[in-house]
Amino acid sequence: MSSGQFRSRWLFATVLMSLLGAATALADDPLVYATIQPAQIYLGESAQFTITNLGDGTNPITLPVVSGLKFEIVARTHEIQIINGTTLPSSSTVLRVTPQIAGIFTIPAVTPKSQPLVLQVNAAPSGVYVPRADTRAAPLPPPILSGGSLPKGVHLTDDGSAYVRLNIPKREVYIGESVPVEIEVGMRSGFVSSLNGLPKLTGDNFALNNLSHQPERSERLINGEPFVLFTWRSILSVVKPGTFSLSAEAPLTVKIRTRSKRDALLDDRFGDPFWQNLFGTTIPKDVDVTSPPQELKVMELPAEGRPADFHGAIGTFNIVSDIAPAKADVGDPMTLRLRITGSGSFDRVDSTMLDRVDQWKTYPPKSSFNTSDPIGFGGMKTFEQPVIASKPGVQTLPALSFSYFDPNTRRYETARSVPLNVTIAPSLADSTLTARQVAANAAASGALQSPAGLRPDHVGDEGTTPYLTPLYLQPKFLAIPSFLVLAFVAGWLGVRGRRDEEIRSIRLAMAQMEAAARAGNETLFFDSARSTLQRLFAAQWQLLPEEVTTAEVNVRMGVDSEVHRLFALADESKYSGRAPDATDFVRWLRVVRDRLTGEKSA
C-alpha cells in the first residue's frame, strides 16, 4: 500500500469515527452543511449546490443571494443513512447554480458555524461548445495551463494565496511625464474568496490615470498551483520631484486556515470541500496584498534649451500639416490641419497654429484626440484652424512648429511641418466691381474728351403733387412717431432686463469662486475664473467663449497682463504641486471682480 493511499484511508476512517461519535448529539443538535459540485465551471454551465441536514431537525432553507449567480431548487430528498449500525435521518435540498458572468463568487455559509463556499466561473475557451444551463452534460475538461514561477522580486503572501506585481518600465521619470504601468494581481484558485476593489498606489506622490474597471483575465500554473491572474494597465503621473518608494496594493478576502499545517496538507491532498467545511478548517479574512516596493526618481525638467513655445508636452512626437481645399476664392474659408502623432503626455500637447499672418485672417484652432490604446498613452491629436485669404494669387502658409521634451534623449525637440502653397482666385464680387470700375473710368475719360461749350436750357420732366402739407404731417405718417416711442420703451426695458441678468450672473460666478477658494480647490477656482472671463471677453470682442484662449488674450492684452497670467494658471493648476494660500485667492478674486464691474478696461 502506498503512503498516499494510507493517508486517504486514515483520513476517511477518522471522519467516519467522528460522525459515529457525534451520532447521539445529532438527534438533538442536527448537523447542516453545504457542498457545491463542481467548484469550477465555465460560463454557460451550471453547478449543483446541496444543503444537507443530518438529524431530526427541519430548519427552513433560505436561498442564497449572490450577485451574478442564479439559484433554483431542483429537488428535495429524505433518506436514512446507517453508519456502523447507527441510523441517521437525512434531508437534502438540491439547487442549480447558474452564473450570469465569469468571475470568482463567494456563496454565504448556510449556518453561523459553517464556512462559505467558493465557485469559480471561467470564460469558455474559443472554439469549445458549452451547453447552456444543462447540469446533465459532462463538464468540460479543465484548461491546460502554462506553468512557470513567480516573476522576479515578487513574493506570495505567507499563506501562499495571492501576490501583487507592479511593473514600471523605468526608474527615472520627469514631472509631467506619462509613464505606462501594469498591475497584476494573482490569486490562487480556491484560496481567495473575492477581490474587493480596484488596485491602488501607496503614497500621495503618485496617481493612476485611465485605470480600467475591467481587467484582463488569465489563468496560469505557478509553482505547480493554479492561479487566476487579473491585469490592469494605466498611466502613472507624478506631482513633485524627489526619490520615492512606490508599490501597489489590492484588497482581497482570503481563506485563513485554522488547523495545523500538517492537517492542512492532508485537506489539500484529499481535495473535498465538504470535509473542509465540516471541520471548519478555514475562515475568511480581509487583507490588503501589497507588491514589493520600488524606488522611483522624479526629476525636474531642465531649464537649459527650453523653447519659448514649450507648454509641457513630454514624449516622442511627429507632426504633419495640410490645408483643404488647395484652391479657393478670396473670402472663402479653408481649414488648416496640424496632426501630432506619437506617445506621451497628450493632455499637454497644444499649438498656437498661425497667429497674425499677413494676407490671412485666422481664427482660434479646435482640437480632437484619437487614442491608439485603452489608456490614451499613444495616438494622434488633430488641430483644425479656419483661415481666409484676403488677396488673390499664390499664397504660402508658413511651416508650423511644435516643441516637446523627449525623455529618451533628455533634451527639448522642435518638430516642424513643411510650408503649404495655395492658389487664391479673385472672387466674383471683385470681378464685377472691377468691370464696373473700368466702365466708369471709360465714361469719365469720354466726358473729359467732349468739346467744351454751354449746355442748352430745358424743362425738367418731374412729377407734381396736389398737397402743400409736409410729408411728416400727412395722416398716413402720423402713426410713425407713436411706433418709435413704443420701440424705444421696449428696447429700454430689454436693456434693463439684460443688465439685471448680467448682475445675477456676476454674483453667481463670484459666489462659486469664493466657495472654491474657501475649500482650497485650486482647479475649480481657476476654471471658474477663466470661464467667467471668457464669457465677458466673448461679448466684448464678438467671439465665441471657447475662442477666448490664452493665445487670444496674449494678442489683445499682452503677455504681462494679469488676465493672461490668470489664464496660464488655469492651464497649469491641475499639474502643479503648489497650493495657493489665501492671499493668492484674494488677489485673483479682485482681478476677476474688477473686470466684471468694469473698473479696468478690457
Side-chain angles (χ1 to χ4, degrees), residues 36 38-43 45-47 69 97 99 101-107 117-123 142-143 145 187-193 217-220 226-230:
I36 187 166
Q40 180 173 334
I41 62 176
Y42 286 100
L43 186 63
E45 295 180 323
S46 293
L69 297 180
V97 184
I101 58 176
I104 300 177
F105 302 92
T106 300
I107 303 175
L117 299 178
V118 176
L119 175 64
Q120 180 173 329
V121 180
N122 302 322
L145 305 180
M187 300 180 292
R188 185 178 173 186
S189 300
F191 284 73
V192 179
S193 300
R217 186 184 185 282
S218 61
E219 298 179 38
R220 187 182 181 190
F227 275 74
V228 178
L229 309 182
F230 290 96

Side-chain angles (χ1 to χ4, degrees), residues 4 7 50 56 64 70 84 102 214 216 244 264 269 292 333 335 359 386 395 431 440 466 497 514 556 560 575 587 598:
R7 292 193 189 95
T50 305
D56 294 328
K70 180 182 179 181
N84 286 352
Q214 295 296 330
E216 297 179 7
F244 307 99
R269 180 66 60 88
T335 300
Q359 316 300 334
Q395 305 291 343
S431 301
E514 290 173 357
R556 294 177 179 266
D560 296 329
Y575 299 101
R587 172 193 174 190

Side-chain angles (χ1 to χ4, degrees), residues 257 286 317 434:
R257 299 179 183 273
D286 294 336
F317 304 98
T434 302

Side-chain angles (χ1 to χ4, degrees), residues 130 378 465 506 523:
V130 178
T465 177
I506 290 173
T523 301

